[in-house]
Each structure stands twice: as C-alpha cells, then as structure tokens.
Amino acid sequence: MAASVFVSPLLGDAFMPGLLDDQVQLQEAEVAVATVAEEHAAPEKSEDTDSEHEDKSSPRPQHVTQRRRLQNSIFSAWLSKRAEKVTREEVKAAIENADDEVLSIRNLMSKQESNIIIGDPREYQIELFERAKKQDIVAVNCVTLVFQQFAVLECNLNQKIDRFCGDMNTDLWTKSVWDKHFQDNMAIVCTAEVLYNCLLHSFISIDQINVLIFDEAHHAKKNHSYARIIKDFYIAEHDLSKRPKIFGMTASPVDAKVDVVQAARELETLLHCQIATTADLSLLRASISRPIEQVLQYSQLPPPYMTALCSEIHNRFNDLESLVRLLRCAREASSDLGEWAADHLWSIALTDEEVRKVEREIELAFLAEKEQQPVEVLNSSMARVHEATEIVKNYAFPPLSFDGNSVSSKVICLHSYLNSVFERSTDARCIVFVKQRYTARLLAEIFKRIGSPHMKLGLLVGTNAGEAGDVKFSVRQQVLTLMKFRKGDLNCLFATSIAEEGLDIPACNTIVRFDLYSTLIQYIQSRGRARHKNSKYVHMVEQGNQHHIQALKDVHKNEDILRTFCEALPADRLLLGNDYDLEDALAKERTHRTYTDPKTGAKLTYRSSLAILAHFPHDRETALRASYIMSVESKQYVCEVILPEVSPITSVTGRPSARKAIAKCSAAFEACLKLRKAGYLDSNLLPIYHKQLPAMRNAHLALSLKTTNAYGMRVKPEVWEQTRGVIPTELYMTVLDVKNAEALGRPSQPLALLTRFRISELPSFPLHLRPGTASEVSCKQLTSNIKLADSMLAKLTSFTLRIYKDIFNKTYEVNEADMSYWLAPLVNYMPDDLVTGESRSLIDWPTLDYVHEIEEIPWTIDTPLGKLSDHYLIDRWDGGRRFFSIGVAPDLSPSDPVPEGCAAHKYMDTILNYTVSLFSKSRARATWRKDQPVLMAHRVLHRRNWLDDWDEAEQNVKTLSYLCPEPLKFSTLPTAIAAMGYLFPAIIFRLEAYLIVLEACSKLGLCIKPELALEALTKDSDNTEEHRTEQVHFQRGMGKNYERLEFIGDCFLKMATSISLYAQNAGDDEFESHVKRMLMLCNKNLFGTAIRLKLYEYIRTQGFSRRTWYPEGIKLLEGKGFKKTGKEVFKHHLNDKTVADVCEALIGASLLSYHDIGNMDMAVKAVTIFVSNPDHTVEKWDEYYQLYKLPAYQTAVPTAWQVDLAAQLERLHNYHFCYPRLLHSAFTHPSYPSGTGRDRIPNYQRLEFLGDSLLDMACVNFLFYRYPDRDPQWLTEHKMAMVSNKFLGALSVRLGFHKHLRLLSSSHIRMIQEYVMEITEADAESNGARDYWTTGKNPPKCLPDIVESYIGAIFVDSKFDYKEVERFFDAHVRWFFEDMSIYDTFANCHPTTYLSNLLTLDFGCTNYRLMSDELPTIIEGTPIRVIAVVMIHNEIIAEGIAASGKYAKLKASSKALEMLTGLAPFEYRIQYRCDCSDKKTEDGEEAPPVEEIMGSAI
C-alpha cells in the first residue's frame, strides 16, 4: 500500500544548532516521552461469544502448571487484542485534565489552540492548494514542526496517521516493524533522517510513496537528508510514473548569501518541481500583518579583550584545547556583553558537571591519537583543568553594574528598550534573537538581575549541548517553553535561530535582533514572528559599523529581488535561462562507491555507512561506538576505523582522499562491506552480531518484564570449603539425636557429626518417621573437642565412607584433608551433662574398629542359621535394593516361587531369581548353591525426604521380601546404625540449610535465630506470594516459608522509615515524607540492595534432593554421577518481588528474634542495611531520638489553652504530655492558620504520617502473635478493619477527640456533627456490640487522622518510646478486636477476597484466576497502565485498568462480582461450564512411581 510521507527537518537534533552557533543542523532527534491516559472500560462481549461456547471446553490440564501455562497463553493473546481497542478519545480526555509537566510532546501539541479543524482556509491558501493538485509545487510561507504537523493533520485528516522520530529508537527497527507501520497508516510524519534511513535499508522504496512533502524545503541542498533522498533514491528511479509527487514549503528558496534567482533554479532542478506563490500578493499581505521596522543604535563597542580572569586563564592554560573555545567566547563576550558576562561565562562553563564534559573531551582526544602518548600526559591535562576550575571558584566576581565596562553599550541599549516595553504589566510578547547559545544564556542571567519586574524571562535554544558551558535544553523543554510563552507565563524569550523557523511560536509584539541575521531567510522568518498589528521588528546596529549597515541594505534589496522574482513568474511557470545542470552537480558524487544488496535493494553509501557503523555491534546497554584515526600519507588523508573490542572485525582502513570527511566515510564504507560479506550485517544492513553475545549479557534489562530470572544458588555452606585442605588434629562433636526413634519400627543408634569447627547452636526440627506423626531431631553441640591420636581419623573416615557406600551406593576416594565432616556411632546411653561432657567417651569405638577392619561379613553354607537375622543386606548389582533381615524361613527353598505380598521386582518366578539383580547374560553364567537357606527380610525403600509427611502411595508400598544369602553382601554396619544412617541425608540437608542462612546473616551483619533465618529465606513454590491459590512446583518438607515474616517485616520497615524521616526532616511536608519513604521501602530499592549483596544465593527454593545432600570436596569413584568433573553450578529462578520480599522477611526475622526481650535494635539495623539510603542510617532504636532535634514550636512556653488541652486529654488517655504544644499540633487541621515564628504550630499531617505507621505496627503485632497459623492474606484483610477510617473515626468520637479538633472549614464542621450524631446513636443501640462502628457511614477523614496524629504525638513526646503506642493500643483498640471472627464479613467486603470466597465456597469452583500485566502502549504519550482480568475456565469475564496491579485487580474483581452475585450454583455451573465439584481430584498432581519417591520407608 502506497502512503504519504510528511518529512520535517526540525525535530530533536534538528532543533540542535552547532555547539555555539544555533544554525539549524541536520541530525535526528531524541524526544523525551512522558504520558497520560484515561482508564479504559471493560469490553462488551462480542456477538460471536455464544457460538464459541457451543464448542466443548478445552481439555482440562492434568497438572496445575499445565493449566497455568494455558491460562497465560490465553491472557497474552487477549491482551494484545485488547490493547488495540484503546481509543484515542480516552487518551485525549486524560490529556485535557493532565499537568503539562507530565505530558509527552505529542500530547502537549494536542492541547494547542492551533490544533483545530481548518474549516475556513485563507484565499491564498486555497489558490496554492488548487495549483498543487495540478502539478508538483514548492509552496511558500508555511512553517511547522513534525509534532505540530502531526497534531494538525491528525485533527484534519480522516485517515490513520502516525509520526516517527529518532527517540523512538527507529534506527534499529526491523523491516517487519516498518512494514506494519506502512500498512497501518495512510500518512506518516517523520524527520528527513528517518525516511532516508528507511530508504537506505530498503524498508520502503520510493515507488511506494504517493506524495512526498518537504517542510522548509530550502534545506534541500548539499548533503541534507532532503537532498540525499532526491539524489540517492528519487533520481535513481528512472520510471517517472513510479516517482512520488513532491510538495515543498518554504518562506524563501534562499537561506544563504547567494544569488536569489540562481538559488531558486537550483532548488527547482533538484526537487524536480516548480516554484509557485499566490498570484495576488495583496491577498498575502492582507492575511499577514507586517511589523514596523526600527533601527536601534548603540555606541561603538570596544574590540574583544581579556578581562583579568580571562588573562590569568589564558596565560596559564592557553595550550589546553578544551579551554581555547571558552577563551574565545569569553573574549567575544567582553566586547559584545561586557566584562561581567565574560567572567560569568567561566562560572557556568566550569561547574563540576561541565568539567566532567571537558575531561571526557580530553580523554577522547587522547585515545584518538594515532601515536599513543604516555598516560602521564592525560593526567597532566586533567590536573590542569581542575587547576583552572579552582581559579574560577576562588575568583572574587565583581557585582553587575552599569559602571565602567561591567556591561556593554549594546546591553545597556537593549536594557533601555526592553524596560520601556515592559514598563508596566502587559500582555506583550518579545523575542530577542542572538547567534550564540552562550549569548542567550548570559543575557537571561543579566536581565534576571537588572530587568523590569514585569519581564518574565525564558530561554529558547537548540538541544545539542555537547560541550562545556552549553545549555542543556531538551525538545520537551522547548515545547513547554513555547506553551508558557503562549499562555503569558513567559513574555520575553532570549532565543537562537531555533526560533526562526519550524516552531509554532505565538505572535509577538516585539522582535529584537540583538545579533543581526546572516541570510535573507533568517531576516524573513524572524520578522515573521512579529504578527501582531503594530508590532515592532528592531534591528540593533552599532554606530559606524559598515557591516551592520550593509546587512540591512542587503536583506531589503534581496527581499525586493525575491518579491520581483515571484511577481514575474510566467503563467506556464517555466523559468527562462535555467542553465543549472543537475548531472554536473551529481557527477562529483558518482566517484564515491555504493553497494546495493541484491536481495532487498538496501543501499550503502559513503554517507550512510557512518550511521550504520555507529550501531555496530548492537548493544544499547553500553553504547559501544567505533572510533576513527586520521593520518596523512602522500599528501592525502587516510582514515582507520577502530571497532569496539567485542566486534568480530577490529579495524579497517579506508582509501586515501584529499578531504578528511571523505576519508572517514571511506573507512566506514569499507568496514560495512566487510561486515556484510562476513554476515554480521543482514540484507537490510542492520547489525545481527548482537545475537552472538553471551546469553546473560542483557538479563538485567528484563528484570521487571518477566516473572523470573536465573540466579546462582548455594547448596553447601561456605564454611565446609573454608575449613578443608588440611588433615585435622581435633574435631568438634554435634550429637544427632532423634526423640521417639522407636517410630522407625526398629532399633536405632544415635550418630555424631564431627566437624573441624564448633557448630553454633541449632534448633531442633521434625522428621516424619511414621505417617501423621513427627519426631524431633536435636543437634546438641558439645563444648569439648576430640584430640585425634593414632588411627582415630582413619577409623572415622572408614566409617563415614562405609555409610556412603553401603547405604547410598556411593564410593568416595579416601582423602581426609578434603572431607567436610565425619560420622561416628555413639553409645546408646547419654549422660545428663551431655553438652559439657567428654566427647570421646560417647563414641562407640568397638563398632568403629569393626567397620574399619572388616569390609563385609562373609557368608558360607556353614554359617549358623541363628546368625542370619538382624543384618543389613546389600544387593551387589542394584544400588536401590537394601534389606534388613528378620530371620530364616525354614519352609522355603531357593527354587520356590516368590510368596504373595512381597515387594515388586523384575524377576518374580523363584526366590533365587528374585534375589539376583544381574542382567540376563550375566544371570545365565552365574551359579548359586541350591541348598542355601531362604531369609525373610524387609526391603528398605529409598524414601529419603523424612522432612515431609508420608503420602498415601508411600504408606501402601510393600516391603516384605524373601532372599537367598549367597548373592547378597552382609554389611558390617549394625542395623541400628544403618537405620539411623537413612535419616542422615534429611538431617544434614536441614543442618546445611541452617548453616547457609546463618552465613547470609553473618554477611549482612545480622544476628538472627537460625529457625527464623531459614524461614525468612525459604520460598517453597513458584507462587509462594499468591495466597490461597494452588501452589506451583511446591517443594515438600521445607518447613515454613517467608510469607508471614515478610508481612510483619514490611510493616516494621514502614514504621522504621517513617520514624527516621520524621526525626531527620522537620521541614518536609507529608507528601515529601511519603515520597522519600516510598523510595526507601519500594520493592525496586530492596531488590537492588539484595542483588548488590547477592542475597539470592542464600534463598532456599529447592526441597530435599538426593542429588545435593552428598558431601563436596572428596572425589566420587563409583555411583551415579561419578563421571562429572568440576564443581557443579546450581541455579534457581526467582522473580524480582521474591528477592525484595526476602529482604522484608529478614527484617521480620530480626524483629522476632528478640521479641521475647522487647529489643528491636536488630530489626532497625536490618532496615538500614536493606534500604541503603541516607534517610535511614541508624542501627539501634535509641538512635532515632538522637536524630530528632526539638523544634522551637515544641519547646516554647505553652499557652494556658494548650496546657488545658493536655490536661483534658490526659483524662481520656493516661499520658502526661511534657510538650503541650506538640499536642496542639496533633489536633490542628490543615485549614487552620499555623501562625508565624515561634508561634507557628504546624498542622497534624506530619504527626499523622508517623502515627499511621505506628498504629499499623501495633495492629500487626497483635494479629501476628494472636493468630500464628493465619496466612498473610487473612492477616492483611483483618488488619484493614483495625486501621480503617471507619473504625478510627468511631474511636475518635468515642474518645472525644473530635471536640478538640481545630479547623475553620464550615463544611467539615457540619459533616463532623452529622457523623457524631449517627455513630453515637449506633453505639447506644448496639447493646455493647464491639462491631457497632461497621454499620455507620464513612467518617470525615479528619477524624481518623487525629487518632493517628495523637499516637504520633505521644510517641514523640515520650522520646520515641514504642511502649506508649502499645499502651494506647491495649487501652483503646484491643477490646474491639478480641474476637476477629466478627470481622470476617468486613474483610470479605474487599472485592478480591469476596470474589475468591464466592467462587471457592459458594460455587465450588477451583478453575479460576486473577491475572494482571502492563497494558501495551498503542499510542505513544500514554502512561504505563496495568490491566487485570478475571478468568474462569479459560474465559475472561471481567477486566479492570489502573495505574497499579493492586487497583486493577480490585476493579476487575468488582466487575466480576457484578456479573456473578445472585447466581445460583447450578446457574453458575451451566453458564461457565464448571465441573470442578465433580472432578476435584483431576487437578491434583499424580503420585510419582515408588521408584521415584524421594525418601525411604523402613
């Protein structure tokens, strides 16, 4: 589909002038984007919904993960379609009500008054339009900008239109992206550079364009993108019928000091167009008023000279290239503006930020040297720049005055004129045009000091601020400045040439050319800004300056020539004597090589190769760029391009050229050819090498876009590795003792864990030895160590390795130096003073000696039958078959069939075959005694996850076995020890988990109880944070997860940061405090801290695993996994919120570790660690008050009224205020006058901010300890009742606080009176019901506010004593909530909770989900919005859109409730095809096969 393309040169960098010369440049733009959008309503059901429901519902996934995957895909597909329905009208509605400061450029434009439908065009416009329909025309006198043109065209065209610029990262868009834009839009507004790049990369061809409109068409010359489009693509299309029509607009074809007629001829020839203007110029004059021109003469200026400051810098640093430009500018300013400006230039050009620019320039120049200089040269240059900076900082700048040479006569003249314009308040608008950016800035600084009080000054310059001293000015700032100028918020702009053309600047009363124009078009266009009737156009001319006088004469003369030229245009529009030969003009360029890709037609030219190479390799994160080194060979320039280190090609040298620019282009061209040939540029000449960069390179870029990221995970404590490497001479004992060990069903013997260091005290934990029961494992650390002598270590090593081999079929290398720990059998009796007793005496040394000396117990046919019972038997060929022998079965022989009820095996024909696990060929060769006895035994199943309860499959596994002794190995391990050995994997897994989390705490500097540390760092499913939903990939046996600790930690974090902010920032208002607190406690901040501390390594996400419990350090010789080499790296997937939540959980663990003694210091320290913010640096609770500096209003002598107020409130709550004025503040409404000086008493907002967090903490503490088994969602829902405005309003009335509130708002007073009457009546009629407050209406917010501010006040007055907060809670709040069940209904009023209960409890439905995601932005200029949906049986029934996921889900839930409330269960099942109540077990995970069960059953 062909399209119209509207091209403008003036966008972003097109606004960008030279660094000090503000002539319009040719680069592309970067546009700041800030957006606003209105909430979108949920879509109505489509007409074909019913037909879709006629089909059978999709098969229900068997597993939760499969079902969630299907739901995710449905949601993603729906989301992409829903985004397309976001209407432009909704966005515009939001734009109208939005603050200009937060709107995008596009939306700012849409608010302009000029963006209205053009219903009454002027006569000359109609005439030109009619002529334009007949032939290709360059029309004069229309000046606009891309965003402005887009806004106007969007309003006036009944076609889809879009606009593009460099800030949208269009430079690396693929062809498919561009194809979609070209297909979707009939017209496109873009910068010239964007279109040129599209043509170069063959994203669009010239024959696909119907009409090509050039705004400011006079730029079409030399190497401007306009000219390049014509030269490289328009002319290259030889079929004239495929060329687009060209429509150009300009105020004049002349923008330089050239012959007017010749310039017009060249422009016509290049654009293949004809120049036209209105036939009747009087129409034009009638439509556009011409200003009165005046000449303002000022006294002759002195020649540029050095001020004292400039002289000092020049004398010492004139060889520094980076300061030479500033010296030149300062010299010019001394003449043009005066000494004050010349000196002041240094103060703005050598600030710390600007010095960094200078340093960067010096470093880049240093690195670009072909002959690399010693680094000392660079250091010396840097040091001298800092030396110059110090001179400027220490210089005593004289004040600005009109005496002497402080300001120039030119400035004085301007000052006099502008003061007359702005003598009084006026609606006048004025623009002062200057050439240089620094001139505009300095003039603005001068007139801030000496200008009229009625002047509202502004600055309007280009955006290309690359050198020191340049003003930073964004496209957005330009648009906002013009909006303020239009509204009258600014009335005098100091502007560079950026204001001459392109921008839609409102009509002015006065235009002053402080610096005269250089060309005719500058004169015409700047004069065109003075559009008001009787407006003035002022030329500032120096007395006796012939150049100025001649400039005035030239522009008037050339304007007359241009006017005569237009009036003399013949009817057929043919210019006579047009001898400009385009072929001659193009002949020079044809010497430059080009490359056209044979597949796509993408074109590589000398000029375009620079841009293509600038994006190679594609790595936006580090912005790698090529560098160019120039040298001279045989009087010609030769350029070498050096590509970044990661590039596959490092350097390429171009061909010699007489010009530097061509040599540089040649090098880039050669490099692009090599990259294309090697396949590193695709057929559209886009870089593809970035695909070969490391996979994890950009992982950090997607932190908040996807749910998970892969992180390293510790599976072993670091202490093992730190203590390995030497043979120990002493060991420390930890006794592993199982209470109720008889639950194993057989005798067991305790084991000792021997380590090189003393393990800290660890808590006991449960093992599930029988179904439904738990036995505690205690780990008792003995204080005495064991001095190793003789062969003790060898015996311990033999025993430990025998455990691994006989029980777990793992043979390890004997390497005592690299063993992490040892095991030892203990005697069956334990002394009372176990911890302080002698360790060595507890070891069962006879058993150690026996195991060390004998590898296995031999069996022969002569072995007495009585000695075959109570042995640990090993299948030599199957590592998973182990048995405990019971005794001989005298009635059975090896050839008998296997009795019924035995454990399953591959061979079940005879008892002998049942015993042997050899493969068929080996089995055929083996011979066994036929007369051997048959043993009865129990098979030991490999159920090693004793940390979790038994499931049904494990309970029903058969273990009875009948075996022949000859094929089996009789282990020297006693059965009691083997039984305990089977428990060891679960025990060591939990012990190592404790050690890992304690290492995390040690790294953080936190001392936390091990059980709480483990709980805080445990995530037991993929969706741990999704309460009351089916857990995905649930890890069994991990114990408590972080949910509850995160809940209380989050609350303490809020309280701690609130206290710190209140104590340190007395001058902040409530909003500032909220913002600062948000920055500290937001998940993004916590996540960043956790990533920096590598906290993710310590998070426990994996349950017990047979793969990870084995010891590290010693080499595995036999057994599964022995072929692996090197240390295995483990990774787990965590979403960002999990990492942040763990930080809050650790804060909660720090708090709970010392709850019994009422110490919160460790929790305070944890907050400081995780917020990592200067607003919270304390490490102890008492340090909060040390931060607080008593304000004067608090310590001033109280008035009698304030003392009386304190006395009255003391009778309501038994607390005596030391500072009654603080209490006064707690009851002062924002509407009440605050006074002045020491009498100024602030309103209650800061105290309310503090009290809110304190009350939150008190409520959470109450719920947390009173309901230890409730999940965070239940706690949150019921906390809502305790801190709700409804309750606090009623409490305020019950305490009589409302009587003491000081406010002046009559409406508030009336609302308070009505509420007090209603809630008092409800209380009286409730007969003592504690929930009477739930029946009333919502109170005026000031009533709950003063309860919180009062709590804040008693906290501050008591020197930050939190016990006073708890005392208030116990006295006035606890009574209402002794029975939380009465508030279940209140909690269920929350839409999300109510919806969950309705679906689950009333309808019996489990196949539903509440999902949310960011809404894709269809229209640039809209803010990020989150859309949430309610999905039932794979159908989306409701949606909600808000600024955050929380509120989007609330809206979606509310809409779903509107649809579902009132339905009977059978109606629900029919309408939504719900069969959950009939198939409750279908969604459950199938029990794994017995062979895969992780654990053992004895």
Side-chain angles (χ1 to χ4, degrees), residues 429 431 482-483 485-487 504-508 529 531:
R429 305 285 193 280
I431 301 178
L482 293 178
M483 288 192 67
F485 193 58
R486 180 177 289 103
K487 293 177 181 178
D504 182 16
I505 296 178
C508 299
R529 299 304 181 194
R531 300 175 191 169

Side-chain angles (χ1 to χ4, degrees), residues 468-488:
D470 285 341
V471 186
K472 284 187 175 180
F473 222 74
S474 66
V475 178
R476 178 180 181 73
Q477 284 177 290
Q478 291 173 334
V479 175
L480 285 171
T481 297
L482 293 178
M483 288 192 67
K484 292 177 181 178
F485 193 58
R486 180 177 289 103
K487 293 177 181 178

